[in-house]
């Protein structure tokens, strides 16, 4: 028979999956003989059973809870519902992954109209008794019954105003009794029944409420942000109450064994005298620093310091502890590994190695890779941020903080930036044509698009702050304005963006430049590099981004998108000439204008990467993306090409496709127009020849990637053009230059026939952005409009464009890797979609056996750490 309830005396820290983090740690502290108020834990399995049973607690689970309640009564010598010597309990959540503040807690459970009178006599402190009762009514009504928390606060404020006092502690016994009466009357009015008086009914309702809180909106959002599976469930801890609000020799507080902001090795925390735990969190009173407890209660302070040191030594990590002092006696209510800033996480991990507490490998596992983002991007000044007004929010598409004047086109962004102005580029959505404006903008804000939209991907590559998919914005390009939350913002108005949270602010908020602690950062990343198996490359399209990635430790370029090079200066005119040309010779003539630009770009990128591998993807997007949409640009192109304007407009119209992401793009362009592949191959190889001659010590091996292949014959056709062009150039140069030709696996058919594709490809790079798009049948720019409904209904737990779908898309990746290496054992495998910078996806890449991951420059440190952690976990 399944066991659903465990006493604290029956568990330990290794039972986290069953008892949750809080329950496992309470059991561990009990085993260690620490002063823990006793109780029991209702397991996470009981929570999942609750949901399986249509949100009901099975009779056998209720029976187990009551059996353990009887044990707790015997252990404490108190009785539930007994006015003479009442047992009161707290009911608290406790998932296996820490989710601070996301779920619900009920304190002082077991009080009713009769028990409170006996409790007042038993303690000799009627004010304390009625204060505990009014708190219980308030919490039970809010958490369990869903009544307005605000209304209770209004009732308290009304009583204080009539009394002429400002603080809750200034209210006397009669005031507390008055609050109890008022609270119960509000409950009766709202629920149509009296406040429940049976303590066992109260208990079951509270357990049910904690289970229910696993599915509340804030918990669901937190889980999605932190990749915590819904099916884990939460445990419930029922613990005998100790009272920090029983007088001047009582109190409650929270403390950390090290400073969670800086990592400094010193006790850090605060406490309140004559208070309960929620008072510290709620901020209704100003707490005292933990160091002051040494003056107020020296013996308690010394005992707490000893326990804190024992806990850190035992868990070998910085601890976050909750404690209560009842009439001069210390009780420990919780310990857990504390949340910390990125800088603190690095310092604590490195310091623990230096102190001999953990190994270098353990230190690598202690830092959350996603936290490193905070060390690499600017942040808002904290004091100024407190005064800022949030006007809306979108997706946190690219981290960092930015303030600038609103502009609506790439051209305006360039013009304003040239005048020395900081700008925020606001667009319905961005396209490759916006690239120059994106480069000069402090931040980018879009109405449409998800986490892997053009704006998000390019912004991350540049390290530029971006908030995407804010559908509440109404943009009026003609009026050069947008409206959000009822306010209109015009060109030149200041706004600020937080790309780490998705928040949009009115006005300019000062920013603080990133200042990573290079000492701790460098040491930890060095240990990470020693531990990882996979290489970490970057996605970079220009020498500047390549150099930035190299500085962050990139070992190569896994994706250089050549189309972004076509949008600068006069290049766009040449590519437009090529597109609208109606014969091969005219196209070659236009392409000849682009050749020196591309070759120069590739030389700059090779130089920046210092001989490391560079994978260059041939032209990928549909041709219509390069064509003009503004009348003046159309007229200019028509004159240049000696075409009637009407004829040019017909050509532009004909090139627009119903579904361009699945249309005439990628390798299909080179099949239709082989001269494109010839020009790009010439640029790639000639640049490599020039750089190899300049740096004979480097071993240049350019890698040419043919995109959007779905058929092996398709790849062979384009590859034959590439090899014929490349071999002729190399022969003429007199050098012995190696090069590779491979493909991007982004079409499901390519994955399914990877054994055939590998006959032609020397490497596979998984383009998981498009592979996800095509496998799910989602548009990555539009899916954000409806995915929230899928999260609400638990169909999906996370955005498949942010975290690789391992069941579906991952199965295609795994299959392609296996089939490809059956044909070509030395096949090089990498990933260059946005998943290449996602820690969870990187762990999957390690399991599949990829050679490298490639990500945007500012994600390189994240990928290095995540790859190391994946390797260490696989080794066990």
């Amino acid at each position: 028979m399944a066991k659903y309830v465990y006493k604290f005396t029956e568990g330990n820290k290794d039972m986290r999956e069953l008892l949750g983090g809080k329950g496992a740690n309470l059991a561990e502290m009990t085993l260690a003989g620490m002063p823990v108020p006793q109780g029991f834990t209702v397991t996470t399995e009981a929570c999942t059973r609750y949901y399986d049973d249509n949100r009901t607690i099975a009779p056998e689970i209720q029976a187990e809870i009551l059996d353990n309640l009887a044990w707790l009564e015997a252990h404490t010598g108190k009785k539930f519902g007994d006015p003479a010597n009442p047992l009161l309990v707290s009911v608290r959540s406790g998932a296996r992954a820490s989710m601070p503040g996301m779920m619900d807690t009920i304190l002082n459970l077991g009080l009713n109209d009769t028990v409170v009178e006996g409790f007042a006599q038993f303690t000799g402190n009627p004010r304390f008794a009625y204060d505990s009762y009014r708190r219980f009514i308030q919490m039970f009504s809010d958490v369990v019954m869903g009544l307005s928390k605000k209304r209770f606060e209004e009732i308290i404020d009304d009583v204080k105003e009539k009394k002429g006092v400002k603080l809750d502690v200034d209210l006397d016994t009669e005031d507390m009794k008055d609050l109890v009466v008022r609270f119960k009357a509000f409950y009766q009015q709202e629920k149509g029944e009296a406040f429940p008086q049976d303590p066992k009914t109260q208990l079951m309702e509270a357990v049910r409420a904690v289970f229910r809180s696993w599915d509340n909106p804030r918990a669901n959002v937190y889980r999605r942000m932190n990749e915590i599976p819904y099916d884990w469930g939460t445990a419930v801890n029922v613990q005998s109450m100790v009272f920090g609000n029983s007088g001047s020799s009582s109190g409650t507080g929270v403390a950390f064994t090290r400073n969670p902001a800086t990592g400094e090795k010193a006790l850090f925390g605060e406490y309140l005298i004559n208070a309960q735990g929620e008072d510290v969190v709620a901020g209704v009173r100003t707490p005292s620093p933990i160091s002051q407890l040494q003056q107020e209660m020296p013996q308690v302070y010394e005992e707490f310091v000893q326990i804190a040191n024992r806990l850190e030594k035992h868990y070998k990590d910085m601890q976050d502890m909750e404690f209560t002092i009842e009439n001069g006696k210390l009780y420990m209510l919780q310990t857990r590994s504390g949340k910390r800033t990125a800088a603190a996480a690095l310092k604590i991990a490195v310091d623990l190695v230096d102190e001999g507490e953990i190994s270098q490998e353990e230190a690598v596992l202690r830092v959350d890779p996603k936290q490193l983002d905070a060390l690499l991007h600017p942040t808002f000044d904290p004091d100024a941020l407190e005064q800022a007004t949030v006007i809306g929010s979108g997706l946190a598409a690219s981290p960092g903080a930015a303030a600038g004047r609103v502009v609506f086109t790439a051209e305006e962004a360039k013009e304003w930036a040239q005048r020395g102005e900081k700008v925020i580029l606001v667009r319905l959505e961005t396209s490759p044509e916006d690239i120059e404006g994106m480069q000069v903008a402090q931040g980018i804000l879009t109405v449409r698009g998800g986490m892997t939209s053009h704006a998000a991907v390019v912004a991350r590559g540049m390290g530029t702050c971006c908030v995407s998919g804010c559908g509440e914005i109404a943009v009026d390009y003609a009026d050069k304005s947008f409206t959000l939350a009822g306010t209109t913002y015009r060109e030149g108005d200041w706004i600020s963006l937080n790309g780490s949270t998705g928040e949009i602010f009115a006005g300019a908020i000062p920013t603080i430049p990133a200042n990573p602690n290079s000492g701790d950062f460098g040491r930890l990343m060095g240990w990470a590099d020693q531990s990882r198996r996979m290489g970490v490359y970057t996605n970079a399209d220009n020498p500047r981004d390549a150099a930035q990635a190299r500085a962050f430790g990139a070992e190569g370029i896994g994706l250089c998108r050549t189309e972004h090079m076509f949008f600068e200066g006069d290049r766009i005119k040449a590519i437009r000439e090529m597109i609208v040309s109606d014969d091969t010779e005219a196209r070659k003539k236009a392409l000849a204008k682009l050749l020196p630009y591309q070759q120069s770009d590739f030389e700059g990128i090779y130089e920046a990467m210092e001989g490391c591998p560079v994978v260059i993807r041939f032209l990928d997007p549909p041709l219509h993306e390069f064509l003009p949409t503004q009348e003046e640009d159309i007229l200019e192109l028509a004159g240049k090409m000696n075409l009637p304007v009407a004829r040019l407009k017909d050509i532009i119209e004909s090139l627009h496709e119903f579904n361009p992401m699945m249309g005439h793009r990628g390798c299909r362009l080179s099949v239709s127009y082989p001269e494109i592949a010839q020009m790009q191959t010439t640029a790639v190889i000639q640049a490599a020849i020039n750089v190899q001659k300049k740096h004979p010590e480097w071993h240049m091996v350019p890698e040419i990637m043919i995109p959007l292949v779905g058929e092996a014959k398709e790849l062979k056709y384009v590859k034959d053009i590439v090899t014929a062009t490349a071999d002729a150039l190399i022969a003429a140069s007199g050098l012995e230059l190696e090069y590779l030709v491979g493909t991007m696996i982004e079409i499901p058919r390519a994955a399914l026939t990877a054994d055939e594709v590998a006959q032609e490809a020397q490497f596979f790079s998984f383009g998981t952005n498009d592979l996800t798009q095509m496998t799910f049948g989602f548009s990555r720019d539009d899916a954000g409009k409806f995915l929230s409904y899928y999260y609400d209904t638990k169909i999906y737990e996370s955005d498949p464009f942010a975290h690789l779908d391992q069941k579906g898309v991952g199965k295609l990746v795994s299959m392609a890797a296996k089939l490809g290496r059956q044909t070509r054992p030395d096949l090089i495998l990498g990933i260059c979609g946005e998943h290449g910078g996602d820690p969870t996806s990187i762990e999957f890449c390690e399991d599949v056996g990829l050679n490298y991951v490639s990500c945007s420059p500012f994600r390189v440190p994240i990928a290095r750490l995540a790859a190391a952690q994946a390797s260490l976990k696989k080794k066990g």
Side-chain angles (χ1 to χ4, degrees):
M1 180 176 166
K3 182 176 172 67
Y4 288 105
V5 183
Y6 286 77
K7 303 174 184 66
F8 293 168
T9 55
E10 295 178 311
N12 59 60
K13 65 179 173 61
D14 298 322
M15 297 172 68
R16 187 181 202 87
E17 291 187 11
L18 189 64
L19 303 180
K22 187 175 283 140
N25 289 337
L26 285 167
E28 188 75 7
M29 286 195 291
T30 297
L31 278 177
M34 294 183 183
V36 175
Q38 280 307 289
F40 54 87
T41 301
V42 187
T43 65
T44 57
E45 291 178 351
C47 180
T48 54
R49 171 87 184 269
Y50 164 82
Y51 285 101
D52 290 342
D53 291 348
N54 197 27
R55 300 190 179 223
T56 59
I57 303 176
E60 62 267 33
I61 297 177
Q62 293 195 45
E64 254 193 276
I65 291 171
L66 294 177
D67 286 346
N68 279 271
L69 179 64
W71 166 82
L72 187 58
E73 288 176 323
H75 179 83
T76 59
K78 301 178 180 181
K79 194 155 183 68
F80 220 38
D82 179 6
N85 187 15
L87 171 65
L88 304 182
V89 297
S90 64
V91 179
R92 308 174 80 192
S93 63
R96 67 169 93 167
S98 176
M99 296 173 60
M102 294 302 112
M103 291 176 292
D104 293 326
T105 294
I106 301 97
L107 304 179
N108 308 326
L109 189 143
L111 286 170
N112 59 25
D113 293 350
T114 306
V115 171
V116 72
E117 293 178 13
F119 192 45
Q121 291 182 357
F122 177 76
T123 60
N125 189 340
R127 185 202 178 280
F128 155 65
Y130 282 93
D131 179 36
S132 299
Y133 192 23
R134 68 92 186 167
R135 289 171 184 267
F136 170 58
I137 297 170
Q138 185 174 351
M139 295 184 85
F140 188 91
S141 302
D142 168 27
V143 171
V144 179
M145 294 302 178
L147 299 189
S148 169
K149 186 176 184 179
K150 182 181 177 185
R151 180 63 189 128
F152 286 103
E153 295 296 337
E154 288 171 351
I155 294 170
I156 295 171
D157 289 343
D158 184 53
V159 170
K160 286 192 291 190
E161 186 177 346
K162 288 180 179 176
K163 179 92 175 184
V165 298
K166 291 186 176 181
L167 300 176
D168 293 1
V169 290
D170 296 326
L171 298 175
D172 61 21
T173 304
E174 294 307 311
D175 298 321
M176 291 300 172
K177 288 181 177 181
D178 184 27
L179 284 176
V180 167
V181 171
R182 291 191 185 208
F183 283 5
K184 285 165 56 185
F186 173 60
Y187 184 97
Q188 174 97 38
Q189 175 189 328
E190 293 294 309
K191 301 300 294 183
E193 60 187 26
F195 186 81
Q197 296 293 300
D198 179 9
K200 290 181 180 176
T201 299
Q202 296 172 355
L203 177 61
M204 289 305 169
E205 288 296 331
V207 172
R208 191 174 287 111
V210 174
F211 283 159
R212 195 168 60 237
S213 73
W214 176 250
D215 195 30
N216 71 33
R218 67 179 185 272
N220 285 327
V221 169
Y222 187 91
R223 276 200 305 278
R224 203 156 56 242
M225 287 170 55
N226 293 277
E227 301 169 58
I228 299 170
Y230 178 75
D231 60 11
W232 278 6
T234 182
V236 180
N237 298 287
V238 179
Q239 188 173 23
S240 53
M241 282 294 302
V242 287
F243 298 95
N245 61 327
S246 59
S248 59
S249 61
S250 301
T252 188
V254 175
F256 299 81
T257 55
R258 300 182 190 228
N259 188 311
T262 66
E264 179 190 359
K265 188 178 181 181
L267 200 59
F268 178 92
E270 52 195 19
Y271 70 100
L272 281 171
I273 292 296
N274 196 16
Q276 284 199 320
E278 74 266 25
D279 295 336
V280 179
V281 178
V284 292
R285 290 165 55 194
T286 303
S288 302
I290 191 71
S291 57
Q292 193 171 316
L293 188 62
Q294 189 169 18
Q295 279 74 50
E296 292 202 56
M297 301 182 192
Q299 287 183 310
V300 170
Y301 179 79
E302 288 305 317
E303 183 184 4
F304 180 73
V305 169
Q306 289 175 12
I307 289 173
N309 290 336
R310 280 181 65 194
L311 287 171
E312 179 171 287
K313 203 135 185 95
H314 183 74
Y315 286 97
K316 298 183 184 298
D317 198 5
M318 183 261 276
Q319 293 298 289
D320 170 4
M321 304 158 293
E322 292 180 21
F323 64 93
T324 285
I325 305 159
E326 182 183 73
N327 299 323
K329 180 169 173 51
L330 174 68
Y331 293 94
M332 299 301 297
L333 305 185
Q334 174 176 291
T335 191
R336 62 187 173 194
S337 292
K339 300 288 183 184
R340 62 205 78 178
T341 65
L346 287 170
K347 178 169 176 54
I348 291 168
V350 170
D351 284 354
L352 286 171
V353 171
D354 291 343
E355 292 163 21
E357 294 294 333
I358 61 175
S359 66
Q360 293 177 4
E361 290 80 5
E362 286 175 299
V364 167
L365 289 166
R366 289 287 174 86
V367 179
D368 181 353
K370 289 178 289 188
Q371 279 191 297
L372 297 182
D373 249 346
L375 299 175
L376 308 173
H377 296 272
T379 56
F380 286 128
D381 179 281
D383 295 333
L385 189 60
E386 285 186 12
Q387 311 301 319
T389 302
V390 178
I391 57 173
S393 65
L395 299 173
S398 181
R405 295 179 180 272
V406 171
V407 295
F408 293 93
T409 68
E411 291 76 16
E412 289 163 357
K414 286 168 58 183
E415 289 170 10
W416 284 67
Q418 284 167 359
R419 298 201 300 265
E421 298 281 5
K422 293 182 176 180
V423 298
I424 301 289
L425 178 61
V426 180
R427 302 284 292 159
L428 283 173
E429 60 199 2
T430 62
S431 72
E433 198 164 346
D434 295 317
I435 194 74
E436 287 189 282
M438 297 172 75
Q439 276 185 328
V440 300
Q442 303 297 306
I444 299 157
L445 172 61
T446 70
V447 180
R448 297 195 284 259
M451 296 293 285
T452 56
S453 63
H454 178 269
V457 171
V458 174
R460 282 196 290 270
M462 295 174 172
T464 300
C465 166
C466 176
V467 174
S468 66
C470 181
E472 297 171 358
I473 291 177
V475 172
D476 185 338
Y477 284 143
D479 188 48
K480 294 189 176 182
S481 67
F482 75 85
T483 302
L484 178 59
T487 302
T488 297
Y489 298 86
R490 302 188 180 281
E491 183 182 68
D493 288 347
W494 282 89
I495 62 170
S496 300
L497 306 179
N498 189 335
S500 303
T501 66
E503 291 173 309
I504 306 161
F505 301 87
I509 306 174
T511 59
I512 299 170
N515 184 25
N517 183 337
S518 58
D520 293 336
F521 182 88
R523 288 184 68 191
L524 189 92
M525 296 308 293
W527 299 336
D529 291 339
Q530 292 169 21
S531 299
R532 66 181 164 88
R533 179 194 61 82
M534 285 191 298
V536 175
Y537 292 9
T538 190
N539 303 337
D541 312 327
N542 55 65
R544 185 197 65 191
D545 288 351
Q548 178 66 79
R550 192 85 177 103
F552 283 147
E555 299 160 314
I557 291 179
L559 176 63
C560 175
R561 308 173 187 87
T562 54
E563 59 270 11
H564 286 168
M565 301 171 176
F566 294 147
F567 286 98
E568 295 182 18
D570 292 333
R571 304 180 190 196
I572 188 67
K573 296 177 182 177
I575 193 76
R576 286 170 175 170
E577 286 179 40
M578 186 276 293
I579 293 168
V580 301
S581 297
D582 53 11
D583 62 66
T584 302
E585 285 309 310
R587 279 194 293 274
K588 285 185 176 180
K589 185 178 177 182
L591 287 167
K593 297 179 183 178
L594 288 171
L595 175 59
Y597 292 128
Q598 283 239 295
Q599 183 176 317
S600 174
D601 286 340
F602 293 144
E603 288 182 18
I605 288 170
Y606 291 149
E607 290 274 3
M609 294 311 295
E610 304 172 310
C612 292
V614 176
V615 180
I616 295 168
R617 183 181 74 183
F618 276 7
L619 192 61
D620 183 52
L623 295 178
H624 83 268
E625 288 194 6
F626 299 98
L627 292 174
T629 56
Q630 301 294 322
E631 186 71 18
E632 60 191 76
D633 294 330
I634 293 173
L635 291 174
E636 181 183 353
L637 182 58
K640 184 85 173 174
M641 298 297 295
N642 198 26
L643 279 172
V645 173
R647 169 67 180 141
L648 178 57
K649 287 184 176 179
D650 286 343
I651 294 171
I652 293 171
E653 180 65 29
S654 71
L655 286 169
H656 276 271
E657 301 175 64
F658 287 109
N659 192 342
M661 292 308 295
M662 299 177 74
H664 193 197
R665 53 174 285 230
C667 67
R668 299 159 194 171
L669 296 174
S670 292
V671 171
S672 303
Y673 310 119
E675 51 272 17
I676 295 177
Q678 290 171 346
M679 183 279 285
Q680 292 203 285
T681 303
T682 301
V684 169
I685 298 301
Q686 194 59 57
I689 289 169
N690 291 349
V691 173
Q692 183 70 82
K693 286 179 177 178
K694 187 176 177 182
H695 298 281
E697 72 279 10
W698 293 353
H699 181 57
M700 300 289 298
V701 185
E703 301 182 32
I704 294 171
M705 180 159 66
I706 313 298
L708 216 74
V709 164
E711 159 63 50
K713 293 175 188 174
E714 190 177 34
L715 175 59
K716 183 179 187 308
Y717 180 86
V718 181
K719 180 185 175 185
D720 287 347
I721 298 168
V722 170
T723 54
T725 306
D727 291 349
L729 289 167
I730 294 169
S733 74
L735 288 180
E736 291 185 5
L737 182 74
E738 294 179 62
Y739 66 94
L740 302 177
V741 180
T743 188
M744 183 179 275
I745 304 291
E746 51 193 323
I747 293 178
R749 191 179 189 278
L752 295 168
T753 60
D755 50 344
E756 297 177 18
V757 176
Q759 292 173 4
E760 301 296 334
Q762 293 168 287
F763 65 85
F764 286 171
S765 181
F766 291 98
T768 51
N769 295 351
D770 272 356
L771 188 59
T772 298
Q773 187 166 234
M774 294 194 186
T775 303
F776 276 89
F778 288 164
S779 162
R780 69 187 189 204
D781 289 331
D782 298 320
K785 296 174 184 175
F786 59 81
L787 277 177
S788 60
Y789 300 108
Y790 279 66
Y791 305 145
D792 293 343
T793 53
K794 308 299 185 295
I795 295 173
Y796 297 140
E797 289 192 40
S798 63
D799 181 351
F801 293 106
H803 307 299
L804 184 68
D805 161 50
Q806 296 183 20
K807 286 185 178 178
V809 179
K811 190 175 287 186
L812 287 171
V813 172
S814 182
M815 180 190 304
K818 185 176 180 181
L819 287 172
R821 282 185 170 157
Q822 283 176 1
T823 297
R824 190 185 291 268
D826 62 348
L827 183 71
I828 301 168
L829 300 173
I831 184 173
C832 63
E834 281 301 291
H835 298 109
D838 170 55
T840 305
S841 305
I842 289 170
E843 190 169 339
F844 170 81
C845 295
E846 173 70 32
D847 292 339
V848 173
L850 302 193
N851 296 91
Y852 67 85
V853 297
S854 187
C855 57
S856 55
F858 280 81
R859 282 192 171 187
V860 166
I862 296 169
R864 287 166 62 196
L865 183 55
Q869 292 181 351
S871 185
L872 289 169
K873 288 175 186 176
K874 193 170 183 181
K875 291 175 184 174

